[in-house]
Amino acid sequence: MSEKDFISKPFSSTIENGSFQWSAPSNIALVKYWGKKENQIPANPSISFTLNNCKTITKLAFAKHIDKLSVTNNGFSFDLLFEGKPKEDFKPKIQKFFERIEIYCPFLKDYHFTIDTENTFPHSSGIASSASGMAALSMNIMSLEKALNPNMTEEYFYKKASFLARLGSGSACRSIKGSVVVWGNHAEINGSSDLFGVEFPSNIHPNFKNYQDTILLVDKGEKQVSSTVGHDLMHNHPFAEQRFAQAHHNLSAIKTVLVNGNLDSFIEIVESEALTLHAMMMTSLPYFILMKPNTLEIINKIWKFRNQTNIPICFTLDAGANVHVLYPENVREEVLQFIAAELVGYCQNGNYICDEIGTGAIKI
Ligand code: DP6
């Protein structure tokens, strides 16, 4: 499919007003997206676990304009509420998103929207809400498009939702479906695309069923590097080409592992990816260190615990200091005890969030 396949078709219905509500989860990348081209095209393919508990819930209310001429802001008209209260600082991001998706959803200009959004995780937790937020909003927009075009297939509905979410925030396209999603062209993943996320096409080994992700909140501060600045660092990066090739290689390797259930190989790929992401930031110009001393303390404790117990836990990181601890469901009790006894002290105010692999966006 190409971009032009996502331009909305002539509508067979009309709708004056109404509302939809969707929740969409966050996701955690195993092979990381870091670096992009024009129009939100990733520099390399990535793969993630969709999460279950960390999510955004967004209600989209819409009313058709009687007089379109009075609409400013490039023709888009919307109010934004966060946890029920107006939130002006979120509006520019939504405005930009609407502008990016306008050619695919021209009907957006026919309505005034009230976007009412909230997260199940604390706003200042250092957990990015852009993936779950853009995914939830895209699902609502697709519900409206489906109301205008009821013949739309289920497959197209979800593909276009992921396509739109990508234009809001790259990783958001992996938050539409579960439980494992690939985004970006990859020779060995059938149907993979730079334009949207696809469900991992093979059966996943039972070792990964209900895989756990406990998110240790090391630093809840504002992001030191915005994702736009971060991805830009890969332009003219001395190791960029090798890194992009490595991501293709790691995706092949993890594809095999997700099917055969080899947890040692899983751990090696996932931890290497996390450290490579941070190595890219440390070796770009300007350079950044996004880990905190407690991030390293936690990593060392995880390695020690794994060596002593042979329990297959590992860590991954996003572009920040928080640590995602990944482990199979059958060692949950032991790992949670270990976290409570040895890792909580490294978390800001002792805070952490228990999550697990999930199934994607849900209509409410
Ligand atoms: C480190 O999806 O936040 O989490 O496309 O600019 O919105 P934009 O970037 P974003 O980048 C996420 C980067 C990452 C790795 C990943 O999730 O694959």
Side-chain angles (χ1 to χ4, degrees), residues 68-99:
K68 241 174 136 174
L69 293 173
S70 60
V71 176
T72 50
N73 288 332
N74 258 341
F76 295 109
S77 164
F78 63 96
D79 296 315
L80 188 96
L81 307 177
F82 179 66
E83 294 174 346
K85 295 190 202 80
K87 184 95 175 159
E88 288 303 311
D89 30 328
F90 284 6
K91 284 183 88 171
K93 213 172 168 183
I94 308 280
Q95 174 76 28
K96 196 166 156 205
F97 175 56
F98 281 166
E99 287 167 11

Side-chain angles (χ1 to χ4, degrees), residues 14-225:
T14 54
I15 179 160
E16 295 300 314
N17 55 60
S19 69
F20 298 106
Q21 191 173 24
W22 281 86
S23 76
S26 187
N27 70 75
I28 180 68
L30 306 171
V31 172
K32 308 287 180 182
Y33 150 53
W34 197 242
K36 62 176 162 183
K37 306 176 205 166
E38 281 280 286
N39 299 325
Q40 294 285 98
I41 298 301
N44 64 260
S46 57
I47 186 167
S48 52
F49 282 158
T50 303
L51 295 182
N52 193 52
N53 304 334
C54 289
K55 52 191 178 189
T56 299
I57 300 160
T58 301
K59 182 172 172 186
L60 182 74
F62 54 94
K64 203 158 184 176
H65 295 307
I66 301 163
D67 168 19
K68 241 174 136 174
L69 293 173
S70 60
V71 176
T72 50
N73 288 332
N74 258 341
F76 295 109
S77 164
F78 63 96
D79 296 315
L80 188 96
L81 307 177
F82 179 66
E83 294 174 346
K85 295 190 202 80
K87 184 95 175 159
E88 288 303 311
D89 30 328
F90 284 6
K91 284 183 88 171
K93 213 172 168 183
I94 308 280
Q95 174 76 28
K96 196 166 156 205
F97 175 56
F98 281 166
E99 287 167 11
R100 277 193 194 160
I101 66 171
E102 180 186 350
I103 71 157
Y104 307 106
C105 304
F107 57 88
L108 291 174
K109 287 198 164 171
D110 297 339
Y111 294 92
H112 174 77
F113 295 105
T114 305
I115 304 165
D116 194 345
T117 189
E118 63 188 49
N119 299 326
T120 58
F121 49 89
H123 179 51
S124 56
S125 59
I127 299 184
S129 59
S130 62
S132 53
M134 288 299 173
L137 182 54
S138 300
M139 295 308 298
N140 281 306
I141 292 171
M142 286 313 295
S143 280
L144 176 55
E145 184 172 332
K146 193 166 165 61
L148 293 165
N149 215 343
N151 292 332
M152 179 188 296
T153 65
E154 180 94 348
E155 193 193 343
Y156 183 82
F157 177 86
Y158 280 97
K159 259 194 188 147
K160 184 164 173 183
S162 177
F163 174 88
L164 296 178
R166 182 197 101 244
L167 292 170
S169 175
S171 57
C173 77
R174 300 187 313 236
S175 275
I176 302 293
K177 288 276 190 159
S179 53
V180 181
V181 177
V182 177
W183 168 40
N185 278 325
H186 187 275
E188 293 166 30
I189 307 277
N190 266 342
S192 60
S193 171
D194 284 347
L195 300 180
F196 47 81
V198 297
E199 280 176 85
F200 184 71
S202 317
N203 281 336
I204 290 161
H205 192 277
N207 281 352
F208 298 104
K209 189 169 181 267
N210 299 333
Y211 220 70
Q212 304 286 304
D213 178 6
T214 302
I215 309 163
L216 306 178
L217 305 177
V218 172
D219 182 28
K220 305 194 228 162
E222 275 290 300
K223 272 196 183 176
Q224 194 188 328
V225 187

